[in-house]
Amino acid sequence: MQHVLSIPFENLSIHCGEVITMDLESIYDKIVVGRRGGWCFENNLLFSWVLKEMGYSVTMLGSRVFNSSKGEFSPMESHLINKVIIDGTAYIADVSFGTSGQIWHPLELISGKDQPQLPGVFGLTEESGTWILVKTGREPLCHDESFAKKLQGKQSKQIYSFTLTPRSVDHFLETSQLLQTSPESLYTNKSICSLQTLTGFSALVGWMYFEVIYNYQDGVDLFEFKNIPSDEIDNVFRAESWLSGAEDWSERASLAQTGRPCEPQSHISVTWQAAADGGAL
């Protein structure tokens, strides 16, 4: 749990002209030394190394994220997760899905068992070798009617599916490159930074700020949204203490020379569901 409370899920490198690699030393320098965050190919790879250094048996797995708008799982394994053995029992450890789909504690790899955590009730189901992670949330409460219309009521939501086939770093290299360069990728079109808190999570998606308090009232999660003026973005990072290594990132983004336009993301239409699906890497 300390990992998700301390290291953000973020893709700011893409919007600052930086190349995201799966080189462990580079990831360590960025996240630990540079006090940044990363997406799943960075955070979960680093976490797998930490677990191995601590003596745990760890296997990297690939998962296919569920796209709510299309009602289907991604055709490619765009999300890296870990299977870890603790006292002879297998668990799924994932420290980098982000936003509302983030698990806070390892999930026992057992089908059909409800596993309650503060974010909601998580569960894994298995059929013919394919596992599906599902989360059941609470009723959402939002005092701003314009945003409240975007929220869905209490429901079970599929997060991602996976098999237990071991994966290596090489398996994810092509996907990582595609997601940080393709003009159709969510991550080239939307800057995302989110961090779990003791009571929920906060996130900045484009110029839209989210704050969620889980179980604000019995059976109710509180959602707060607000648009942030572009000249105040860096102040949000400082106030939230998300990334000590990403000060003035919006200026860096506007000046980045990446071979494609790297403009402020204020023009992007952001919905809650897109943000929730976006916390996928």
Side-chain angles (χ1 to χ4, degrees):
M1 178 175 173
Q2 289 303 315
H3 189 115
V4 300
L5 294 177
S6 305
I7 300 178
F9 170 89
E10 55 106 333
N11 71 337
L12 303 184
S13 290
I14 294 173
H15 301 276
C16 294
E18 301 169 356
V19 177
I20 299 175
T21 77
M22 294 191 69
D23 173 71
L24 186 58
E25 184 175 354
S26 298
I27 295 171
Y28 182 91
D29 286 342
K30 174 184 176 181
I31 294 177
V32 179
V33 179
R35 302 186 68 182
R36 284 279 303 278
W39 61 4
C40 79
F41 295 140
E42 299 169 290
N43 286 333
N44 277 330
L45 178 58
L46 181 65
F47 193 55
S48 71
W49 171 76
V50 171
L51 292 173
K52 291 175 183 176
E53 289 294 301
M54 295 174 66
Y56 291 101
S57 173
V58 181
T59 303
M60 288 194 300
L61 307 175
S63 66
R64 305 174 189 270
V65 176
F66 188 76
N67 187 314
S68 299
S69 61
K70 295 183 179 180
E72 62 185 21
F73 292 100
S74 167
M76 60 182 175
E77 293 184 344
S78 61
H79 184 54
L80 188 161
I81 60 177
N82 290 299
K83 182 185 76 170
V84 56
I85 307 299
I86 304 174
D87 295 331
T89 301
Y91 292 84
I92 294 300
D94 180 0
V95 296
S96 193
F97 192 86
T99 63
S100 63
Q102 180 63 57
I103 63 174
W104 283 17
H105 307 281
L107 296 174
E108 185 177 356
L109 189 60
I110 184 171
S111 181
K113 177 182 179 180
D114 286 345
Q115 302 188 52
Q117 301 183 10
L118 183 59
V121 179
F122 292 96
L124 294 165
T125 60
E126 185 271 338
E127 183 175 351
S128 302
T130 297
W131 293 78
I132 297 177
L133 172 62
V134 177
K135 175 193 173 184
T136 301
R138 305 176 185 87
E139 290 290 341
L141 171 65
C142 181
H143 298 299
D144 188 320
E145 293 185 1
S146 63
F147 290 116
K149 296 176 182 179
K150 302 175 183 179
L151 298 173
Q152 299 174 337
K154 179 180 179 179
Q155 62 174 346
S156 293
K157 175 186 175 182
Q158 297 180 101
I159 306 296
Y160 51 71
S161 66
F162 61 94
T163 70
L164 300 183
T165 303
R167 300 301 189 192
S168 66
V169 168
D170 289 346
H171 177 76
F172 300 102
L173 292 177
E174 183 176 350
T175 301
S176 175
Q177 178 68 11
L178 175 68
L179 291 173
Q180 61 185 296
T181 58
S182 170
E184 297 181 359
S185 168
L186 169 69
Y187 300 98
T188 60
N189 283 280
K190 195 185 306 296
S191 55
I192 302 172
C193 183
S194 72
L195 183 67
Q196 306 294 304
T197 68
L198 289 174
T199 57
F201 72 88
S202 53
L204 187 66
V205 182
W207 289 165
M208 185 174 290
Y209 175 78
F210 304 81
E211 184 173 0
V212 176
I213 299 177
Y214 291 131
N215 213 25
Y216 173 75
Q217 299 171 352
D218 188 27
V220 174
D221 293 338
L222 177 65
F223 290 74
E224 295 184 339
F225 302 78
K226 60 182 177 180
N227 286 305
I228 306 296
S230 59
D231 59 356
E232 296 182 12
I233 293 295
D234 292 320
N235 293 334
V236 173
F237 281 98
R238 295 188 184 97
E240 293 290 340
S241 299
W242 279 338
L243 302 171
S244 62
E247 291 89 349
D248 303 319
W249 92 269
S250 58
E251 180 179 356
R252 292 165 58 199
S254 65
L255 295 175
Q257 300 297 319
T258 62
R260 64 179 187 277
C262 191
E263 301 172 350
Q265 306 299 296
S266 56
H267 65 284
I268 296 175
S269 174
V270 180
T271 65
W272 164 248
Q273 194 57 62
D277 285 345
L281 284 178

